Amino acid sequence: MSVSRRQLLKGAVASAPLFALAACGSKAGQAGGGSAGLSAWALTGGPEQVFKDTFAAWNSANPDHKFTVQYFANDSYKQKIRTSVGSGNGPTLIYSWAGGTLKDYVASKDVVDLTDKIPNLTKRVIPSVLDVGKVDGKVYAVPINNSQPVLFYYNKLLFKQAGVQVPTTFGQLLSAVRTFKAKGILPIALAGQSQWPELMWIEYLVDRIGGPEPFKKVFEQTKGAWSDPAFSKAFEKLKQLIDAGAFGNRFGSVVADNNADAALVYTNKAAMLLQGSWVYTTFTGDAAAWVKQGNLGWFDFPTVEGGVGDKSDVYGNPSNYFSVSAKASKQNQDQAAKFLDTYNLNDKACKELIDMGLVPAVQNIEGQLAASKDKDFLEYTYTMTQNAKSFQLSWDQALSDSQAQTLLTKLSQFFLGQATGAQYIAAMNGTIK
């Protein structure tokens, strides 16, 4: 499930599958099958405008085969898509993170094989990012936007005021937390109500302590895999941060979908934020003047003293993906595949992504990144992913839906002091049958 990012960006084969323009406001699911028209669901925020422009261009050129598109907030989408696809009421184009969810779709024959239907797209995208959308060697999902590594953002103004240097080890991070706490500054913004941002913490700590192997065993559903010492040690480190007041006492009410965590940083209330590269556009969009003043910085997740994980290892999402519903009519399946092959991640879409401060999952873009107004951030994240020894898909996307729900619920309980690391590990071991 782990993907070498050097492989990812240089086109070698990934180790294993990982992991409203709404033309006329369609009803949910109406276009997924039968004789209804083409439909797609995607997420709000991030590259939403790129999707809108791309579908608008297609609709203009194909008036007899228009898409209706609906956009959802992240959390509400995840709930809706699970039930809609399972009941045959999903859209023609199904948005996902690949991983365990895609495997479930393929096993249930909910999506179609695209292998021979996207010859042009296959040449454009990074081969190993495309590989993430394969199951048993066949393409069932294709990348549709940008690579999304998780990294630290920090408030340079607050760091300077507190006399804190960018931490490169866990010990330095813990020391920085205590310094900010003592000065009345929230050390780290965390959107605990959304739960999934909490996952980034345990993912990186496990990796820095034990490398990618412990979670690889989980992904392979090895009995007792969660009992690897890297997991218990990671929970011990996380408990140290929580007890030191790293996240304050109100993180349980902070929501990621409305970017409340990033707002705490750019309003100078919080010093740091661990989030995906997609949040960069929130900073540049919602706090353009603050960013222009040079207040935003970024850095990799620190190493953990005594850990064996490589400091270059990255967590996040290689991309988001579109699959074509098997419940759609043959005509709609063919038109949807044609859209993916000719409009998805074409030159115009890639330019829009780069202009937004995002790195599209396509090949040979170094010159475009160097010419961007967001050159510093884009080249940092591009190099970060290019040089990474391992790029691990987020656990909640890599595992099955049922396991992911337990994963998030139990982790939230841990952050709130309602469960121990040992209880979390026991619960997750219980999900491996």
Side-chain angles (χ1 to χ4, degrees), residues 248-263:
N249 53 18
R250 297 179 179 175
F251 63 87
S253 62
V254 179
V255 180
D257 276 348
N258 62 13
N259 303 313
D261 48 355

Side-chain angles (χ1 to χ4, degrees), residues 5-11 124 126-127 350-351 354 358-387:
R5 297 304 285 172
R6 183 170 291 104
Q7 289 175 335
L8 187 150
L9 291 175
K10 292 184 177 179
R124 290 198 299 275
I126 298 170
C350 288
K351 183 179 184 307
I354 292 172
L358 302 171
V359 179
V362 299
Q363 307 180 76
N364 306 317
I365 57 171
E366 289 85 349
Q368 296 177 67
L369 299 181
S372 168
K373 61 181 173 51
D374 298 298
K375 170 179 178 294
D376 291 345
F377 182 78
L378 295 182
E379 291 189 334
Y380 182 88
T381 54
Y382 186 72
T383 301
M384 177 184 180
T385 53
Q386 185 179 34
N387 293 337

